[in-house]
Amino acid sequence: LEKENIFVMTEDRARTQDIRPLEIAIVNLMPTKIATETQILRLLGNTPLQVNITLLRTAEHVSKNTPLEHLERFYKTFDEIRDLHFDGMIVTGAPVEHLPFEQVDYWEELMRIMNFASTGHVFSTLYICWAAMAALYHFYGIPKHDLPSKRFGVFECSVLEPTSNLFRGFDDVFYAPHSRHTEVLTKDVLRVPELTVLADSREAGLTTVESRDHTQVFMTGHLEYDRDTLDKEYKRDVAKNLPINLPRHYYPGDNPDATPVVNWRAHASLFYSNWLNYYVYQGTPYGFTAPVTGRQVEDSLRFSTRTRYGLRFLIRLASTQDLRLQLGVAAKEEKISSGYLEQIVRALRPLKILKAVRGVGGGYQLCKSPADIRLDDVIQALEGGISPVSCLTSYCPRQDICT
């Protein structure tokens, strides 16, 4: 890290400062893990805050591009940290955009990580590129859409909410690298009242979204990219004879032999500094071991979007009596994707409260009387737990005096 001009504080020096370091987890889904971790650490290290990093990888996917020795030395898996709490978490993109989310080999594990972050173990989570689309799909049922060609280059983006702390100090426009084959549509996000669109691009589309409580931030671009990241992607694909367009607004004179000019680094540093300062540091309690702030107690008493859709689907099944309800019909009426509703149904199957009927006129119907279906069982299946606050299921320093 020091060779990369990243500021690193020694443990002895850190102990002389009367400040609690922020605990940040980075879930690195990229195949080039060393390059990605260095890019993100460079930005996190460019702040006056102490940050202690935990690198995470998925146990269900074998990395082909990172030495096993590096993974075993520096990375942990979810099972090793599932009882811990973090001030912030960053989940990177991944080159699996052409696959439906459910076909990604570590999708189940990633859902557990995302649920872990959203149920009181993490104060604020930043999702990047594919991870942003995955989280918007998982939590809010917002689908991703294939692009006719790869969205590739450095694009001008506009700040739509200039009073947002995340964009404090930003100019009206900023530039962000993009490299993706899919997109999330702004109109789909605007249908979800829990979300706010913060920035977009005329060419690249939706750029930044956040949940209204700031616990989730979704960035479809790659502010962490180095000067030569897009260059390496382009020349790699050219060498493999893959269809690839020249990255837009990147090479001077569109000459791939010219050195790209970096015009996003200052805003990248400011973006990560603002996230750390306003969304993590300013909001997290000093003695944080379990996030039990007023904001999170209030939010944790609400059902998630996933649970609300699941309950509405069960209510529809109960109202159809002996008729069968087709997923496609229900999804269209709820204005969500069939794949998202299928994900909810899979989570409900272990309860043995519904069954699928195949053939003409097939669909789903309840196999129990509605009176025999327990609400707490449904919430447990869809939420992963029903504790109104996280301190009921994990350690809290106030547990001996709290009534």
Side-chain angles (χ1 to χ4, degrees):
L1 297 180
E2 289 172 340
K3 289 179 180 178
E4 289 285 337
N5 196 30
I6 298 171
F7 176 73
V8 178
M9 181 180 292
T10 64
E11 189 172 351
D12 288 340
R13 182 179 176 186
R15 286 173 177 169
T16 66
Q17 297 188 340
D18 188 18
I19 183 174
R20 180 180 72 79
L22 296 176
E23 297 291 337
I24 305 295
I26 300 176
V27 184
N28 194 347
L29 305 177
M30 291 293 285
T32 53
K33 293 190 180 338
I34 296 175
T36 301
E37 70 197 36
T38 303
Q39 291 167 356
I40 294 175
L41 290 175
R42 182 183 294 115
L43 294 168
L44 296 179
N46 197 33
T47 73
L49 299 171
Q50 281 191 29
V51 179
N52 190 39
I53 300 295
T54 299
L55 296 173
L56 299 179
R57 62 182 175 91
T58 56
E60 297 174 2
H61 178 77
V62 178
S63 178
K64 300 178 181 178
N65 298 283
T66 305
L68 180 60
E69 178 183 344
H70 182 84
L71 295 175
E72 292 179 342
R73 181 179 179 185
F74 296 108
Y75 280 78
K76 296 182 182 297
T77 62
F78 175 60
D79 285 341
E80 295 177 87
I81 59 91
R82 65 190 314 154
D83 295 324
L84 303 179
H85 293 84
F86 295 91
D87 300 292
M89 177 179 283
I90 299 171
V91 187
T92 74
V96 290
E97 297 169 272
H98 290 305
L99 295 174
F101 293 115
E102 294 82 4
Q103 291 183 17
V104 176
D105 58 3
Y106 50 81
W107 177 246
E108 294 293 329
E109 184 177 6
L110 182 59
M111 286 196 298
R112 292 195 295 271
I113 293 172
M114 292 190 290
N115 289 338
F116 165 87
S118 69
T119 53
H121 289 267
V122 179
F123 209 77
S124 183
T125 305
L126 170 60
Y127 296 97
I128 301 172
C129 197
W130 178 84
M133 297 183 229
L136 287 169
Y137 174 74
H138 175 62
F139 291 115
Y140 303 102
I142 299 174
K144 63 182 174 71
H145 301 273
D146 291 333
L147 290 165
S149 61
K150 185 176 183 179
R151 188 152 293 161
F152 193 40
V154 180
F155 299 94
E156 180 181 292
C157 306
S158 300
V159 176
L160 303 181
E161 296 286 341
T163 60
S164 166
N165 282 338
L166 199 59
F167 287 97
R168 178 169 286 186
F170 267 62
D171 299 319
D172 292 339
V173 298
F174 64 98
Y175 295 88
H178 287 256
S179 177
R180 49 192 167 87
H181 294 274
T182 55
E183 67 175 342
V184 169
L185 300 179
T186 300
K187 66 178 183 179
D188 291 338
V189 175
L190 293 176
R191 294 193 185 105
V192 181
E194 298 97 327
L195 299 175
T196 302
V197 177
L198 299 181
D200 69 1
S201 168
R202 184 176 300 176
E203 286 187 84
L206 186 71
T207 302
T208 314
V209 179
E210 71 170 0
S211 61
R212 293 190 182 274
D213 62 1
H214 312 311
T215 60
Q216 297 171 323
V217 177
F218 312 90
M219 165 61 75
T220 64
H222 285 281
L223 286 173
E224 77 281 3
Y225 270 8
D226 290 328
R227 178 194 305 271
D228 61 353
T229 304
L230 295 179
D231 177 65
K232 288 179 178 178
E233 287 186 28
Y234 172 70
K235 291 176 180 176
R236 175 201 64 199
D237 289 353
V238 169
K240 293 181 178 180
N241 293 318
L242 297 175
I244 181 69
N245 294 323
L246 205 67
R248 293 180 59 78
H249 318 300
Y250 180 58
Y251 293 118
D254 283 341
N255 177 8
D257 294 324
T259 300
V261 176
V262 177
N263 58 3
W264 64 88
R265 186 171 295 160
H267 281 115
S269 294
L270 187 56
F271 180 85
Y272 276 81
S273 178
N274 285 347
W275 175 71
L276 270 182
N277 183 24
Y278 298 113
Y279 286 18
V280 181
Y281 174 71
Q282 297 287 351
T284 310
Y286 180 86
F288 176 74
T289 55
V292 193
T293 66
R295 180 185 78 183
Q296 287 179 305
V297 169
E298 176 186 349
D299 291 336
S300 62
L301 293 173
R302 303 172 184 167
F303 291 146
S304 68
T305 303
R306 172 184 169 98
T307 295
R308 292 202 302 272
Y309 281 131
L311 290 173
R312 289 209 289 264
F313 180 67
L314 292 177
I315 291 171
R316 284 175 179 270
L317 289 179
S319 65
T320 58
Q321 297 181 354
D322 295 330
L323 299 177
R324 295 154 187 169
L325 181 61
Q326 295 180 344
L327 278 186
V329 174
K332 185 175 182 180
E333 291 175 351
E334 293 288 350
K335 296 182 180 180
I336 60 175
S337 70
S338 297
Y340 185 61
L341 191 52
E342 287 175 4
Q343 182 186 127
I344 292 173
V345 168
R346 279 202 303 273
L348 293 173
R349 281 175 185 164
L351 300 181
K352 298 181 179 179
I353 59 176
L354 46 78
K355 62 180 179 181
V357 179
R358 301 185 183 279
V360 179
Y364 282 89
Q365 61 183 173
L366 295 179
C367 54
K368 276 188 178 181
S369 167
D372 295 329
I373 299 175
R374 293 175 56 89
L375 180 61
D376 59 343
D377 289 338
V378 175
I379 298 173
Q380 179 80 30
L382 295 174
E383 296 275 352
I386 57 175
S387 297
V389 289
S390 61
C391 56
L392 295 180
T393 57
S394 58
Y395 172 74
C396 175
R398 298 176 54 84
Q399 63 186 18
D400 293 333
I401 61 174
C402 182
T403 58

